[in-house]
Amino acid sequence: MSAAPRVVLVGPMGVGKSTVGKLLAERLGVGYRDTDDDIVAAEGRTIAEIFVDEGEPVFRALEKNAVGRALAEHDGVLALGGGSVLDADTRALLAGQRVVYLSMDVEEAVRRTGLNAARPLLAVNPRKQWRELMEARRALYEGVATAVVATDGRTPEEVTQIALDALELKEA
């Protein structure tokens, strides 16, 4: 592997991976990359549109490729899509990386995202679906994580500092 990210962020949609990722990158003096952004740029359409037009299996294949490429190419802070840990090959690629799992409870998820229609996996009964997604994914997030940072009731700046401290990383 020619490059390795300084930090990889995983966690559910709406937890703040993009916000915290950008702050971490700034504090570490490195670049920021988001695999969801990579997919949108490559496909020329939103993730929601990919889900609707092609279905979840096609999106997951695109996501797996995007994550593999980003892990090989990017040496800064990398944020992964919420479902990327569902893929066993992706989880294997994350072994040995500095991975921070940003966690939150369902009430915080409702407050932050409004669990809105732009989230294709949460279109019907969002609270129930969010809980079910987290039940399916929590152990996967924890399994790849070097550190777990609860984001509930914390500012992005507080979460960023806790992540830096947990990983024992020095600011640039």
Side-chain angles (χ1 to χ4, degrees):
M1 192 182 294
S2 58
R6 288 288 301 277
V7 180
V8 179
L9 298 176
V10 299
M13 58 191 89
V15 77
K17 294 182 299 286
S18 298
T19 302
V20 170
K22 290 171 187 167
L23 286 170
L24 271 172
E26 185 179 304
R27 300 262 304 261
L28 293 168
V30 298
Y32 169 76
R33 184 167 172 178
D34 183 320
T35 57
D36 281 351
D37 293 343
D38 290 352
I39 294 165
V40 169
E43 295 296 308
R45 53 195 170 146
T46 67
I47 288 168
E49 289 169 330
I50 297 167
F51 262 85
V52 169
D53 297 345
E54 310 288 338
E56 185 175 359
V58 168
F59 173 76
R60 294 294 171 212
L62 293 169
E63 180 175 60
K64 178 180 177 173
N65 292 334
V67 170
R69 210 169 25 258
L71 286 170
E73 296 170 359
H74 187 66
D75 61 1
V77 175
L78 179 63
L80 304 187
S84 60
V85 297
L86 295 169
D87 183 75
D89 294 334
T90 295
R91 292 194 305 275
L93 288 174
L94 291 172
Q97 302 275 354
R98 280 190 203 98
V99 179
V100 176
Y101 162 33
L102 299 179
S103 68
M104 68 179 166
D105 69 21
V106 69
E107 295 312 316
E108 187 80 358
V110 169
R111 190 179 68 71
R112 287 190 193 179
T113 67
L115 296 180
N116 61 32
R119 311 281 184 176
L121 291 180
L122 300 177
V124 182
N125 195 345
R127 284 175 194 248
K128 178 175 179 276
Q129 288 179 298
W130 194 88
R131 280 194 187 94
E132 289 171 0
L133 281 174
M134 283 309 300
E135 284 170 22
R137 296 177 181 178
R138 185 173 290 110
L140 300 176
Y141 290 136
E142 290 171 352
V144 299
T146 309
V148 178
V149 178
T151 64
D152 306 82
R154 291 181 168 147
T155 67
E157 291 76 13
E158 290 169 324
V159 172
T160 300
Q161 188 60 54
I162 293 165
L164 287 168
D165 292 346
L167 297 174
E168 299 178 354
L169 291 173
K170 302 286 181 242
E171 292 183 47

